[in-house]
Amino acid sequence: MRNTKTMTIVFLMIIALFTAACGSEPAAESDGKLQVVTTIGQVTDVVRNVGGELVAVDGLMGAGTDPHLYVASASEVDLLQNADVIFYNGLFLEAQMEEILEQIGENKPSIPVSKQIDSARLLDSEDYEDEFDPHIWFDVTLWQETVKQVRDTLSDVDPDNAATYASNADAYLAELDQLHTYVLEQVAQIPAEKRVIITAHDAFRYFGSAYGFEVMGLQGISTATEASTGDVQALADFIAENEIPAIFVESSVPIRNVEAVQAAVQDRGFNVEIGGELFSDAMGDDGTPEGTYIGMVRHNIDTIVTALAGE
Ligand SMILES: [Zn+2]
């Protein structure tokens, strides 16, 4: 009897030691949290909202970063290789990183958040044949699909916490419903003929189709090709002829091209304002309202309304 009891205690102690060893092994640097690496801030924010306390997220691309041109450094490749899960936008947004993201994806989940979006909802790329326009976060209802993708992937990787991921996702989706309604209400303040958005690069086409704007970018869908003098002149003609009140700067694209357009419009005897800075491919600084997806969308629509609804 005594022997059995002793053996049971020893056995339990071994189990306890073994469990402690297992538990501390992959989670040594992470308090047991799932280690997630992401690319653009918009994706980082979705993962923070769905993963909550259960994940530690490293976002590679901060404020002002252009994802079309971004190349991962050696230490970032290490970070990707050590992650439990990787999320990126996909649709060839991270053009210089797509190969490594796919390659690492052979050994672990490396998932484009755009993966389960029905291609019928996607716009064709004007720059790359056989690619879609990657700027899907500009239509809030389309971006909601990425929340579901993140929920599903985290639940596959960490099924014990699937209920938490599901309830976090539901709560965030409800916030995004409200955000979509807010954008529609703001847009209603702009007279229909003034709903034209001209920016440095062609990032706003989903915004245009979701919320009823004509959109024009000086550079194409990617920033990889420079705008030509002819592009500047053609855009200046359009602005002067249609008396467009304002054009916009983007936080992740140098201001000089937009200023060149403004000067060319002035040469035509018309004054176009720079209507402010919009967050297109990068969000604002961490810790500011614009450093979240919801804050970025609100900032953009508020800036657009102020610039275009006047008079
Ligand atoms: Zn872009």
Side-chain angles (χ1 to χ4, degrees):
M1 279 296 268
R2 185 166 289 177
N3 265 356
T4 317
K5 208 171 180 181
T6 312
M7 289 218 3
T8 307
I9 290 168
V10 170
F11 183 67
L12 284 174
M13 282 175 70
I14 289 171
I15 291 207
L17 279 171
F18 185 72
T19 312
C22 283
S24 66
E25 188 208 353
E29 325 141 358
S30 57
D31 306 329
K33 294 183 181 192
L34 215 54
Q35 296 295 293
V36 183
V37 177
T38 54
T39 56
I40 57 171
Q42 292 88 326
V43 173
T44 309
D45 198 38
V46 172
V47 177
R48 281 183 183 151
N49 276 284
V50 177
E53 296 292 307
L54 299 169
V55 301
V57 194
D58 263 312
L60 299 183
M61 303 181 195
T65 306
D66 181 346
H68 299 286
L69 310 177
Y70 193 83
V71 181
S73 69
S75 66
E76 289 171 340
V77 172
D78 283 348
L79 209 57
L80 289 165
Q81 262 152 357
N82 291 321
D84 297 316
V85 189
I86 297 162
F87 289 110
Y88 58 107
N89 185 78
L91 304 174
F92 210 52
L93 177 75
E94 300 95 340
Q96 310 299 317
M97 286 183 70
E98 195 153 283
E99 204 176 314
I100 180 122
L101 290 166
E102 284 175 1
Q103 194 187 324
I104 292 176
E106 288 167 16
N107 305 310
K108 70 175 74 173
S110 176
I111 308 290
V113 294
S114 53
K115 192 175 164 188
Q116 56 179 271
I117 295 177
D118 181 351
S119 62
R121 297 191 66 189
L122 296 175
L123 301 172
D124 286 328
S125 168
E126 288 173 341
D127 293 358
Y128 301 107
E129 223 177 305
D130 304 326
E131 295 285 349
F132 293 107
D133 184 330
H135 304 91
I136 49 176
W137 54 91
F138 279 107
D139 174 347
V140 176
T141 65
L142 200 51
W143 195 239
Q144 285 180 314
E145 297 303 308
T146 72
V147 176
K148 298 171 191 169
Q149 177 67 59
V150 169
R151 173 198 64 199
D152 294 348
T153 302
L154 291 179
S155 302
D156 282 347
V157 175
D158 179 20
D160 289 351
N161 289 308
T164 305
Y165 298 129
S167 72
N168 288 351
D170 283 347
Y172 191 52
L173 287 168
E175 284 188 65
L176 296 185
D177 280 339
Q178 288 177 4
L179 180 67
H180 179 64
T181 305
Y182 176 77
V183 176
L184 291 171
E185 286 167 359
Q186 293 304 103
V187 168
Q189 299 182 36
I190 305 173
E193 72 279 4
K194 287 192 174 174
R195 291 180 197 166
V196 181
I197 295 186
I198 298 172
T199 56
H201 94 297
D202 221 346
F204 289 76
R205 293 167 69 226
Y206 288 104
F207 180 88
S209 77
Y211 302 112
F213 283 77
E214 188 177 346
V215 296
M216 301 174 93
L218 183 53
Q219 285 172 279
I221 283 182
S222 168
T223 51
T225 344
E226 273 296 323
S228 72
T229 330
D231 297 332
V232 173
Q233 301 306 325
L235 202 52
D237 282 340
F238 177 86
I239 293 165
E241 275 163 29
N242 294 281
E243 302 189 348
I244 307 292
I247 55 179
F248 299 92
V249 176
E250 295 171 56
S251 70
S252 53
V253 184
I255 190 173
R256 60 174 189 276
N257 286 342
V258 172
E259 286 175 339
V261 172
Q262 189 185 34
V265 172
Q266 212 149 31
D267 292 345
R268 287 156 174 77
F270 182 71
N271 229 341
V272 65
E273 299 291 330
I274 292 191
E277 182 181 67
L278 302 179
F279 295 99
S280 54
D281 293 4
M283 307 202 305
D285 286 317
D286 244 352
T288 67
E290 294 78 18
T292 68
Y293 172 71
I294 289 175
M296 155 189 174
V297 171
R298 291 181 72 104
H299 166 94
N300 281 352
I301 192 61
D302 291 350
T303 303
I304 290 166
V305 167
T306 305
L308 299 182
E311 290 170 318

PDB file of all heavy atoms in Angstrom, residues 206-237:
ATOM      1  N   TYR A 206     -10.811  50.570 -54.155  1.00  0.00           N
ATOM      2  CA  TYR A 206     -11.859  49.881 -53.375  1.00  0.00           C
ATOM      3  C   TYR A 206     -12.694  50.888 -52.600  1.00  0.00           C
ATOM      4  O   TYR A 206     -13.907  50.724 -52.461  1.00  0.00           O
ATOM      5  CB  TYR A 206     -11.242  48.868 -52.398  1.00  0.00           C
ATOM      6  CG  TYR A 206     -10.677  47.637 -53.061  1.00  0.00           C
ATOM      7  CD1 TYR A 206      -9.299  47.489 -53.218  1.00  0.00           C
ATOM      8  CD2 TYR A 206     -11.505  46.626 -53.539  1.00  0.00           C
ATOM      9  CE1 TYR A 206      -8.767  46.365 -53.823  1.00  0.00           C
ATOM     10  CE2 TYR A 206     -10.986  45.493 -54.153  1.00  0.00           C
ATOM     11  CZ  TYR A 206      -9.610  45.371 -54.293  1.00  0.00           C
ATOM     12  OH  TYR A 206      -9.090  44.257 -54.906  1.00  0.00           O
ATOM     13  N   PHE A 207     -12.039  51.925 -52.111  1.00  0.00           N
ATOM     14  CA  PHE A 207     -12.782  52.998 -51.434  1.00  0.00           C
ATOM     15  C   PHE A 207     -13.776  53.606 -52.415  1.00  0.00           C
ATOM     16  O   PHE A 207     -14.952  53.797 -52.095  1.00  0.00           O
ATOM     17  CB  PHE A 207     -11.793  54.065 -50.931  1.00  0.00           C
ATOM     18  CG  PHE A 207     -12.442  55.207 -50.212  1.00  0.00           C
ATOM     19  CD1 PHE A 207     -12.676  55.136 -48.849  1.00  0.00           C
ATOM     20  CD2 PHE A 207     -12.828  56.349 -50.901  1.00  0.00           C
ATOM     21  CE1 PHE A 207     -13.295  56.185 -48.183  1.00  0.00           C
ATOM     22  CE2 PHE A 207     -13.440  57.403 -50.245  1.00  0.00           C
ATOM     23  CZ  PHE A 207     -13.674  57.312 -48.883  1.00  0.00           C
ATOM     24  N   GLY A 208     -13.286  53.894 -53.630  1.00  0.00           N
ATOM     25  CA  GLY A 208     -14.147  54.481 -54.654  1.00  0.00           C
ATOM     26  C   GLY A 208     -15.347  53.613 -54.966  1.00  0.00           C
ATOM     27  O   GLY A 208     -16.479  54.096 -55.023  1.00  0.00           O
ATOM     28  N   SER A 209     -15.124  52.310 -55.138  1.00  0.00           N
ATOM     29  CA  SER A 209     -16.250  51.465 -55.539  1.00  0.00           C
ATOM     30  C   SER A 209     -17.187  51.189 -54.363  1.00  0.00           C
ATOM     31  O   SER A 209     -18.392  51.069 -54.553  1.00  0.00           O
ATOM     32  CB  SER A 209     -15.773  50.194 -56.233  1.00  0.00           C
ATOM     33  OG  SER A 209     -15.288  49.279 -55.312  1.00  0.00           O
ATOM     34  N   ALA A 210     -16.667  51.163 -53.133  1.00  0.00           N
ATOM     35  CA  ALA A 210     -17.550  50.905 -51.979  1.00  0.00           C
ATOM     36  C   ALA A 210     -18.364  52.143 -51.609  1.00  0.00           C
ATOM     37  O   ALA A 210     -19.511  52.024 -51.180  1.00  0.00           O
ATOM     38  CB  ALA A 210     -16.726  50.459 -50.775  1.00  0.00           C
ATOM     39  N   TYR A 211     -17.776  53.333 -51.748  1.00  0.00           N
ATOM     40  CA  TYR A 211     -18.414  54.525 -51.195  1.00  0.00           C
ATOM     41  C   TYR A 211     -18.763  55.584 -52.254  1.00  0.00           C
ATOM     42  O   TYR A 211     -19.132  56.704 -51.919  1.00  0.00           O
ATOM     43  CB  TYR A 211     -17.520  55.111 -50.095  1.00  0.00           C
ATOM     44  CG  TYR A 211     -17.247  54.093 -48.998  1.00  0.00           C
ATOM     45  CD1 TYR A 211     -15.971  53.558 -48.804  1.00  0.00           C
ATOM     46  CD2 TYR A 211     -18.289  53.615 -48.191  1.00  0.00           C
ATOM     47  CE1 TYR A 211     -15.727  52.605 -47.827  1.00  0.00           C
ATOM     48  CE2 TYR A 211     -18.055  52.651 -47.214  1.00  0.00           C
ATOM     49  CZ  TYR A 211     -16.779  52.150 -47.034  1.00  0.00           C
ATOM     50  OH  TYR A 211     -16.550  51.190 -46.075  1.00  0.00           O
ATOM     51  N   GLY A 212     -18.629  55.198 -53.541  1.00  0.00           N
ATOM     52  CA  GLY A 212     -19.139  56.067 -54.595  1.00  0.00           C
ATOM     53  C   GLY A 212     -18.262  57.259 -54.957  1.00  0.00           C
ATOM     54  O   GLY A 212     -18.769  58.368 -55.138  1.00  0.00           O
ATOM     55  N   PHE A 213     -16.955  57.057 -55.044  1.00  0.00           N
ATOM     56  CA  PHE A 213     -16.041  58.121 -55.466  1.00  0.00           C
ATOM     57  C   PHE A 213     -15.368  57.746 -56.784  1.00  0.00           C
ATOM     58  O   PHE A 213     -15.084  56.577 -57.038  1.00  0.00           O
ATOM     59  CB  PHE A 213     -14.917  58.325 -54.436  1.00  0.00           C
ATOM     60  CG  PHE A 213     -15.337  59.086 -53.216  1.00  0.00           C
ATOM     61  CD1 PHE A 213     -16.080  58.460 -52.226  1.00  0.00           C
ATOM     62  CD2 PHE A 213     -14.992  60.419 -53.050  1.00  0.00           C
ATOM     63  CE1 PHE A 213     -16.468  59.149 -51.092  1.00  0.00           C
ATOM     64  CE2 PHE A 213     -15.381  61.115 -51.927  1.00  0.00           C
ATOM     65  CZ  PHE A 213     -16.120  60.480 -50.935  1.00  0.00           C
ATOM     66  N   GLU A 214     -15.078  58.786 -57.576  1.00  0.00           N
ATOM     67  CA  GLU A 214     -14.139  58.590 -58.670  1.00  0.00           C
ATOM     68  C   GLU A 214     -12.741  58.737 -58.078  1.00  0.00           C
ATOM     69  O   GLU A 214     -12.517  59.655 -57.277  1.00  0.00           O
ATOM     70  CB  GLU A 214     -14.376  59.657 -59.741  1.00  0.00           C
ATOM     71  CG  GLU A 214     -13.582  59.408 -60.989  1.00  0.00           C
ATOM     72  CD  GLU A 214     -13.882  60.448 -62.084  1.00  0.00           C
ATOM     73  OE1 GLU A 214     -14.882  61.184 -61.960  1.00  0.00           O
ATOM     74  OE2 GLU A 214     -13.097  60.512 -63.024  1.00  0.00           O
ATOM     75  N   VAL A 215     -11.825  57.850 -58.398  1.00  0.00           N
ATOM     76  CA  VAL A 215     -10.485  57.957 -57.818  1.00  0.00           C
ATOM     77  C   VAL A 215      -9.431  57.993 -58.919  1.00  0.00           C
ATOM     78  O   VAL A 215      -9.567  57.346 -59.958  1.00  0.00           O
ATOM     79  CB  VAL A 215     -10.173  56.790 -56.854  1.00  0.00           C
ATOM     80  CG1 VAL A 215     -11.086  56.801 -55.663  1.00  0.00           C
ATOM     81  CG2 VAL A 215     -10.247  55.458 -57.554  1.00  0.00           C
ATOM     82  N   MET A 216      -8.414  58.805 -58.693  1.00  0.00           N
ATOM     83  CA  MET A 216      -7.303  58.889 -59.644  1.00  0.00           C
ATOM     84  C   MET A 216      -6.016  58.963 -58.851  1.00  0.00           C
ATOM     85  O   MET A 216      -5.921  59.724 -57.886  1.00  0.00           O
ATOM     86  CB  MET A 216      -7.431  60.138 -60.503  1.00  0.00           C
ATOM     87  CG  MET A 216      -8.733  60.184 -61.282  1.00  0.00           C
ATOM     88  SD  MET A 216      -8.935  61.743 -62.138  1.00  0.00           S
ATOM     89  CE  MET A 216      -8.237  61.325 -63.702  1.00  0.00           C
ATOM     90  N   GLY A 217      -5.022  58.187 -59.256  1.00  0.00           N
ATOM     91  CA  GLY A 217      -3.712  58.237 -58.614  1.00  0.00           C
ATOM     92  C   GLY A 217      -2.676  58.657 -59.630  1.00  0.00           C
ATOM     93  O   GLY A 217      -2.771  58.311 -60.802  1.00  0.00           O
ATOM     94  N   LEU A 218      -1.700  59.415 -59.156  1.00  0.00           N
ATOM     95  CA  LEU A 218      -0.651  59.859 -60.068  1.00  0.00           C
ATOM     96  C   LEU A 218       0.217  58.681 -60.473  1.00  0.00           C
ATOM     97  O   LEU A 218       0.475  58.449 -61.646  1.00  0.00           O
ATOM     98  CB  LEU A 218       0.187  60.944 -59.384  1.00  0.00           C
ATOM     99  CG  LEU A 218       1.277  61.576 -60.222  1.00  0.00           C
ATOM    100  CD1 LEU A 218       0.716  62.102 -61.533  1.00  0.00           C
ATOM    101  CD2 LEU A 218       1.946  62.688 -59.454  1.00  0.00           C
ATOM    102  N   GLN A 219       0.658  57.904 -59.485  1.00  0.00           N
ATOM    103  CA  GLN A 219       1.309  56.638 -59.792  1.00  0.00           C
ATOM    104  C   GLN A 219       0.249  55.554 -59.824  1.00  0.00           C
ATOM    105  O   GLN A 219      -0.878  55.767 -59.377  1.00  0.00           O
ATOM    106  CB  GLN A 219       2.356  56.305 -58.716  1.00  0.00           C
ATOM    107  CG  GLN A 219       3.627  57.127 -58.832  1.00  0.00           C
ATOM    108  CD  GLN A 219       4.535  56.901 -57.626  1.00  0.00           C
ATOM    109  OE1 GLN A 219       4.332  57.485 -56.584  1.00  0.00           O
ATOM    110  NE2 GLN A 219       5.526  56.054 -57.790  1.00  0.00           N
ATOM    111  N   GLY A 220       0.635  54.401 -60.322  1.00  0.00           N
ATOM    112  CA  GLY A 220      -0.332  53.310 -60.458  1.00  0.00           C
ATOM    113  C   GLY A 220      -0.646  52.645 -59.140  1.00  0.00           C
ATOM    114  O   GLY A 220      -0.469  53.217 -58.071  1.00  0.00           O
ATOM    115  N   ILE A 221      -1.105  51.411 -59.232  1.00  0.00           N
ATOM    116  CA  ILE A 221      -1.486  50.641 -58.054  1.00  0.00           C
ATOM    117  C   ILE A 221      -0.267  50.342 -57.193  1.00  0.00           C
ATOM    118  O   ILE A 221      -0.336  50.336 -55.979  1.00  0.00           O
ATOM    119  CB  ILE A 221      -2.185  49.350 -58.509  1.00  0.00           C
ATOM    120  CG1 ILE A 221      -3.593  49.712 -58.930  1.00  0.00           C
ATOM    121  CG2 ILE A 221      -2.188  48.307 -57.421  1.00  0.00           C
ATOM    122  CD1 ILE A 221      -4.418  48.580 -59.346  1.00  0.00           C
ATOM    123  N   SER A 222       0.858  50.098 -57.830  1.00  0.00           N
ATOM    124  CA  SER A 222       2.119  49.960 -57.102  1.00  0.00           C
ATOM    125  C   SER A 222       2.863  51.289 -57.193  1.00  0.00           C
ATOM    126  O   SER A 222       2.633  52.075 -58.103  1.00  0.00           O
ATOM    127  CB  SER A 222       2.961  48.852 -57.711  1.00  0.00           C
ATOM    128  OG  SER A 222       4.272  48.914 -57.188  1.00  0.00           O
ATOM    129  N   THR A 223       3.747  51.538 -56.235  1.00  0.00           N
ATOM    130  CA  THR A 223       4.595  52.734 -56.308  1.00  0.00           C
ATOM    131  C   THR A 223       5.914  52.412 -57.003  1.00  0.00           C
ATOM    132  O   THR A 223       6.809  53.248 -57.059  1.00  0.00           O
ATOM    133  CB  THR A 223       4.904  53.245 -54.887  1.00  0.00           C
ATOM    134  OG1 THR A 223       5.393  52.148 -54.124  1.00  0.00           O
ATOM    135  CG2 THR A 223       3.675  53.834 -54.231  1.00  0.00           C
ATOM    136  N   ALA A 224       6.024  51.181 -57.543  1.00  0.00           N
ATOM    137  CA  ALA A 224       7.300  50.747 -58.115  1.00  0.00           C
ATOM    138  C   ALA A 224       7.657  51.524 -59.392  1.00  0.00           C
ATOM    139  O   ALA A 224       8.825  51.675 -59.721  1.00  0.00           O
ATOM    140  CB  ALA A 224       7.276  49.253 -58.399  1.00  0.00           C
ATOM    141  N   THR A 225       6.648  52.017 -60.114  1.00  0.00           N
ATOM    142  CA  THR A 225       6.932  52.814 -61.313  1.00  0.00           C
ATOM    143  C   THR A 225       6.715  54.291 -61.021  1.00  0.00           C
ATOM    144  O   THR A 225       5.675  54.667 -60.476  1.00  0.00           O
ATOM    145  CB  THR A 225       5.970  52.423 -62.467  1.00  0.00           C
ATOM    146  OG1 THR A 225       5.359  51.185 -62.153  1.00  0.00           O
ATOM    147  CG2 THR A 225       6.683  52.348 -63.768  1.00  0.00           C
ATOM    148  N   GLU A 226       7.668  55.106 -61.368  1.00  0.00           N
ATOM    149  CA  GLU A 226       7.568  56.558 -61.148  1.00  0.00           C
ATOM    150  C   GLU A 226       6.536  57.177 -62.087  1.00  0.00           C
ATOM    151  O   GLU A 226       6.318  56.700 -63.203  1.00  0.00           O
ATOM    152  CB  GLU A 226       8.930  57.215 -61.397  1.00  0.00           C
ATOM    153  CG  GLU A 226       9.838  57.240 -60.186  1.00  0.00           C
ATOM    154  CD  GLU A 226       9.284  58.082 -59.033  1.00  0.00           C
ATOM    155  OE1 GLU A 226       8.666  59.136 -59.298  1.00  0.00           O
ATOM    156  OE2 GLU A 226       9.470  57.683 -57.877  1.00  0.00           O
ATOM    157  N   ALA A 227       5.910  58.253 -61.629  1.00  0.00           N
ATOM    158  CA  ALA A 227       5.011  59.001 -62.500  1.00  0.00           C
ATOM    159  C   ALA A 227       5.843  59.781 -63.515  1.00  0.00           C
ATOM    160  O   ALA A 227       6.903  60.293 -63.195  1.00  0.00           O
ATOM    161  CB  ALA A 227       4.178  59.966 -61.667  1.00  0.00           C
ATOM    162  N   SER A 228       5.349  59.882 -64.753  1.00  0.00           N
ATOM    163  CA  SER A 228       6.068  60.640 -65.775  1.00  0.00           C
ATOM    164  C   SER A 228       5.566  62.083 -65.794  1.00  0.00           C
ATOM    165  O   SER A 228       4.521  62.395 -65.223  1.00  0.00           O
ATOM    166  CB  SER A 228       5.848  59.998 -67.146  1.00  0.00           C
ATOM    167  OG  SER A 228       4.519  60.252 -67.555  1.00  0.00           O
ATOM    168  N   THR A 229       6.310  62.966 -66.466  1.00  0.00           N
ATOM    169  CA  THR A 229       5.872  64.354 -66.629  1.00  0.00           C
ATOM    170  C   THR A 229       4.510  64.400 -67.321  1.00  0.00           C
ATOM    171  O   THR A 229       3.661  65.211 -66.993  1.00  0.00           O
ATOM    172  CB  THR A 229       6.886  65.136 -67.493  1.00  0.00           C
ATOM    173  OG1 THR A 229       8.165  64.556 -67.274  1.00  0.00           O
ATOM    174  CG2 THR A 229       6.915  66.587 -67.140  1.00  0.00           C
ATOM    175  N   GLY A 230       4.318  63.487 -68.280  1.00  0.00           N
ATOM    176  CA  GLY A 230       3.036  63.425 -68.987  1.00  0.00           C
ATOM    177  C   GLY A 230       1.888  63.115 -68.039  1.00  0.00           C
ATOM    178  O   GLY A 230       0.810  63.716 -68.150  1.00  0.00           O
ATOM    179  N   ASP A 231       2.118  62.215 -67.085  1.00  0.00           N
ATOM    180  CA  ASP A 231       1.081  61.888 -66.096  1.00  0.00           C
ATOM    181  C   ASP A 231       0.711  63.132 -65.293  1.00  0.00           C
ATOM    182  O   ASP A 231      -0.462  63.399 -65.029  1.00  0.00           O
ATOM    183  CB  ASP A 231       1.578  60.813 -65.117  1.00  0.00           C
ATOM    184  CG  ASP A 231       1.878  59.485 -65.799  1.00  0.00           C
ATOM    185  OD1 ASP A 231       1.239  59.209 -66.829  1.00  0.00           O
ATOM    186  OD2 ASP A 231       2.740  58.731 -65.291  1.00  0.00           O
ATOM    187  N   VAL A 232       1.739  63.879 -64.869  1.00  0.00           N
ATOM    188  CA  VAL A 232       1.506  65.091 -64.076  1.00  0.00           C
ATOM    189  C   VAL A 232       0.679  66.089 -64.878  1.00  0.00           C
ATOM    190  O   VAL A 232      -0.314  66.636 -64.379  1.00  0.00           O
ATOM    191  CB  VAL A 232       2.855  65.735 -63.647  1.00  0.00           C
ATOM    192  CG1 VAL A 232       2.620  67.088 -62.984  1.00  0.00           C
ATOM    193  CG2 VAL A 232       3.622  64.803 -62.713  1.00  0.00           C
ATOM    194  N   GLN A 233       1.047  66.308 -66.151  1.00  0.00           N
ATOM    195  CA  GLN A 233       0.334  67.280 -66.979  1.00  0.00           C
ATOM    196  C   GLN A 233      -1.118  66.853 -67.222  1.00  0.00           C
ATOM    197  O   GLN A 233      -2.026  67.675 -67.153  1.00  0.00           O
ATOM    198  CB  GLN A 233       1.060  67.487 -68.333  1.00  0.00           C
ATOM    199  CG  GLN A 233       2.508  67.980 -68.201  1.00  0.00           C
ATOM    200  CD  GLN A 233       2.649  69.244 -67.351  1.00  0.00           C
ATOM    201  OE1 GLN A 233       1.779  70.116 -67.373  1.00  0.00           O
ATOM    202  NE2 GLN A 233       3.726  69.341 -66.573  1.00  0.00           N
ATOM    203  N   ALA A 234      -1.318  65.567 -67.499  1.00  0.00           N
ATOM    204  CA  ALA A 234      -2.678  65.081 -67.778  1.00  0.00           C
ATOM    205  C   ALA A 234      -3.569  65.244 -66.545  1.00  0.00           C
ATOM    206  O   ALA A 234      -4.728  65.659 -66.647  1.00  0.00           O
ATOM    207  CB  ALA A 234      -2.630  63.612 -68.205  1.00  0.00           C
ATOM    208  N   LEU A 235      -3.011  64.935 -65.385  1.00  0.00           N
ATOM    209  CA  LEU A 235      -3.791  65.058 -64.153  1.00  0.00           C
ATOM    210  C   LEU A 235      -4.091  66.533 -63.858  1.00  0.00           C
ATOM    211  O   LEU A 235      -5.209  66.877 -63.449  1.00  0.00           O
ATOM    212  CB  LEU A 235      -3.011  64.419 -62.997  1.00  0.00           C
ATOM    213  CG  LEU A 235      -3.813  63.972 -61.778  1.00  0.00           C
ATOM    214  CD1 LEU A 235      -4.988  63.092 -62.151  1.00  0.00           C
ATOM    215  CD2 LEU A 235      -2.886  63.202 -60.810  1.00  0.00           C
ATOM    216  N   ALA A 236      -3.102  67.401 -64.112  1.00  0.00           N
ATOM    217  CA  ALA A 236      -3.298  68.836 -63.899  1.00  0.00           C
ATOM    218  C   ALA A 236      -4.409  69.368 -64.813  1.00  0.00           C
ATOM    219  O   ALA A 236      -5.253  70.173 -64.394  1.00  0.00           O
ATOM    220  CB  ALA A 236      -1.998  69.591 -64.134  1.00  0.00           C
ATOM    221  N   ASP A 237      -4.428  68.921 -66.073  1.00  0.00           N
ATOM    222  CA  ASP A 237      -5.511  69.310 -66.995  1.00  0.00           C
ATOM    223  C   ASP A 237      -6.867  68.934 -66.421  1.00  0.00           C
ATOM    224  O   ASP A 237      -7.800  69.744 -66.401  1.00  0.00           O
ATOM    225  CB  ASP A 237      -5.354  68.580 -68.350  1.00  0.00           C
ATOM    226  CG  ASP A 237      -4.270  69.210 -69.216  1.00  0.00           C
ATOM    227  OD1 ASP A 237      -3.931  70.391 -68.966  1.00  0.00           O
ATOM    228  OD2 ASP A 237      -3.759  68.517 -70.119  1.00  0.00           O
TER     229      ASP A 237
END
